[in-house]
Amino acid sequence: MDRRSFLKNSAFGGAAAATTALAAPAYAQGNRTLTMVTTWPRGLAGVWDSVERVANSITAATDGQVTVEAKAAGELVGALEVFDAVTAGQADMYHGADYYFVGQHPAWAYFTAVPFGMTAPEMMTWYYGQDGMALHHELGEVFGLKSFIAGQTGAQGGGWFRNPVASADDFKGLKFRMPGLGGEALSKLGASVQVLPGGEIYQALSTGALDATEWIGPWSDEKLGLQEVCNYYYPAGFHEPGAALSTAVNLEVFNSLTPSQQKAIELACADAHQANYAQFIANNGPALERLKSGGTQIQEFSDDIWNAFGNASVELLDSYTSDDLFKKVHDSAQASMRASGGWLSVSDSAYAQQRNRVLASM
């Protein structure tokens, strides 16, 4: 179905939407247990921690009136089936990375990360200080969801490779795991891009089904064992400069909760977002040193490769702006990024460079 036609016929228009808006809310009584399906294997470093924090915080904030039963990928539905499960009412909520669902609508990518997009502080500025959250809700409600960001990995690594890459031509035919719009941009360089859940990456590399992959960062990647199957690691990547995770609740379920319970979900997600960011940053540095000590070769992409990444990314994002909702989200995010990035480049970034230079000389 054409996306623009779909949006015009969505719940935003028509008499049915107006009638629903005027109806008196009917709140479910008694204690509730909500089933949360996830895109993550149980216990996966960082991302599963965010699942548990969201679930535990909702229970604590509601004094046990709402509890969340978290299901790992494959326990109820497959990792990439959680969106459909929640929109269909087979599960109450999901936790995952919204860019897995760009096949539903490409604007979902902005609520995880887009290539050459926002860093984590820029994402937080847009989401909490401007209209990012409202746009997340607007997009989610088209699909019968109430969506919140609920985790943050920070900048993700450029990837793990069996062999180093010296130029953009080295990506031609490379079997590379990368989801979201970053993967679509990489395919423009000739890569054979695959979308696999985290739990399947190690096996795919071990068997040769993949030549290279990105996952998250040194800590999570080390826990996944990627250093055992690839020798070359590129810490800086173009595709996820500040990747948010999300929780989405089936909209009918969300509307059946009391206002205080709804607020508890919103605040639990915000809490998990900031706590998860701190967790990743705290663990990535020590993990990177362990990887170096273990023999991992740390590499940097050449300027030629970075230029190719940039050209492919801009071309890709521009290709989607004919969709009204994508353009609305895209323009908002880009404007926010330009504004906050302009300040951060002359404040935080300049300070960090000078601090590191001075301390290194002492």
Side-chain angles (χ1 to χ4, degrees):
M1 178 184 291
D2 176 72
R3 291 191 302 272
R4 299 179 75 174
S5 298
F6 174 80
L7 293 172
K8 288 177 182 177
N9 291 287
S10 71
F12 290 106
T19 301
T20 301
L22 295 172
Y27 302 126
Q29 303 299 311
N31 294 348
R32 302 278 299 276
T33 298
L34 304 182
T35 300
M36 173 192 279
V37 290
T38 73
T39 60
W40 321 115
R42 189 172 294 275
L44 202 61
V47 290
W48 188 260
D49 294 284
S50 181
V51 170
E52 291 186 329
R53 189 166 184 112
V54 171
N56 293 339
S57 294
I58 291 171
T59 300
T62 62
D63 289 328
Q65 292 178 350
V66 179
T67 59
V68 176
E69 184 179 1
K71 300 288 188 181
E75 291 182 359
L76 188 60
V77 298
L80 303 183
E81 298 170 356
V82 301
F83 185 98
D84 290 340
V86 176
T87 57
Q90 296 171 341
D92 299 307
M93 56 199 304
Y94 72 71
H95 187 287
D98 275 348
Y99 71 174
Y100 285 140
F101 314 125
V102 293
Q104 299 285 348
H105 195 286
W108 283 114
Y110 272 98
F111 302 101
T112 302
V114 299
F116 279 76
M118 293 179 283
T119 64
E122 290 167 344
M123 167 69 87
M124 285 184 271
T125 300
W126 176 59
Y127 198 84
Y128 295 115
Q130 297 169 338
D131 57 356
M133 182 186 291
L135 289 169
H136 202 189
H137 291 172
E138 182 176 344
L139 176 61
E141 288 172 7
V142 173
F143 296 91
L145 300 170
K146 192 72 171 183
S147 302
F148 303 95
I149 59 173
Q152 173 60 255
T153 71
Q156 297 203 4
W160 292 84
F161 295 76
R162 294 183 181 280
N163 299 296
V165 287
S167 73
D169 286 341
D170 290 336
F171 284 87
K172 293 178 179 177
L174 197 71
K175 294 176 290 187
F176 201 116
R177 181 266 181 194
M178 182 180 286
L181 297 188
E184 292 187 31
L186 201 62
S187 69
K188 290 182 175 292
L189 276 60
S192 175
V193 175
Q194 301 180 36
V195 178
L196 296 176
E200 299 178 18
I201 296 174
Y202 184 96
Q203 181 67 18
L205 286 166
S206 299
T207 62
L210 288 177
D211 299 316
T213 188
E214 63 80 48
W215 177 228
I216 298 178
W219 175 48
S220 292
D221 295 10
E222 178 192 36
K223 293 289 188 182
L224 206 59
L226 299 183
Q227 72 279 6
E228 300 170 6
V229 286
C230 288
N231 293 326
Y232 299 94
Y233 180 57
Y234 291 73
F238 78 102
H239 59 301
E240 296 182 52
L245 312 177
S246 291
T247 290
V249 187
N250 177 283
L251 190 57
E252 290 186 5
V253 172
F254 188 83
N255 288 340
S256 73
L257 300 172
T258 67
S260 63
Q261 292 167 348
Q262 294 172 353
K263 180 58 71 171
I265 291 175
E266 176 185 337
L267 296 180
C269 291
D271 168 74
H273 182 263
Q274 69 172 5
N276 201 219
Y277 181 43
Q279 182 183 32
F280 273 105
I281 298 303
N283 283 284
N284 276 339
L288 182 61
E289 293 306 311
R290 290 193 298 271
L291 292 171
K292 290 179 181 178
S293 299
T296 296
Q297 301 296 305
I298 306 301
Q299 305 284 311
E300 294 182 5
F301 293 126
S302 67
D303 288 347
D304 165 68
I305 292 175
W306 276 105
N307 290 339
F309 287 159
N311 290 335
S313 299
V314 171
E315 179 184 343
L316 176 72
L317 294 174
D318 285 348
S319 73
Y320 282 114
T321 55
S322 59
D323 180 277
D324 293 340
L325 184 52
F326 182 91
K327 188 176 189 304
K328 183 177 183 180
V329 175
H330 169 81
D331 289 352
S332 173
Q334 292 291 323
S336 176
M337 183 174 65
R338 285 193 296 270
S340 58
W343 166 245
L344 292 172
S345 67
V346 297
S347 56
D348 294 41
S349 297
Y351 161 74
Q353 291 175 359
Q354 293 297 335
R355 178 198 63 193
N356 294 343
R357 179 189 63 81
V358 170
L359 294 180
S361 67
M362 292 182 178

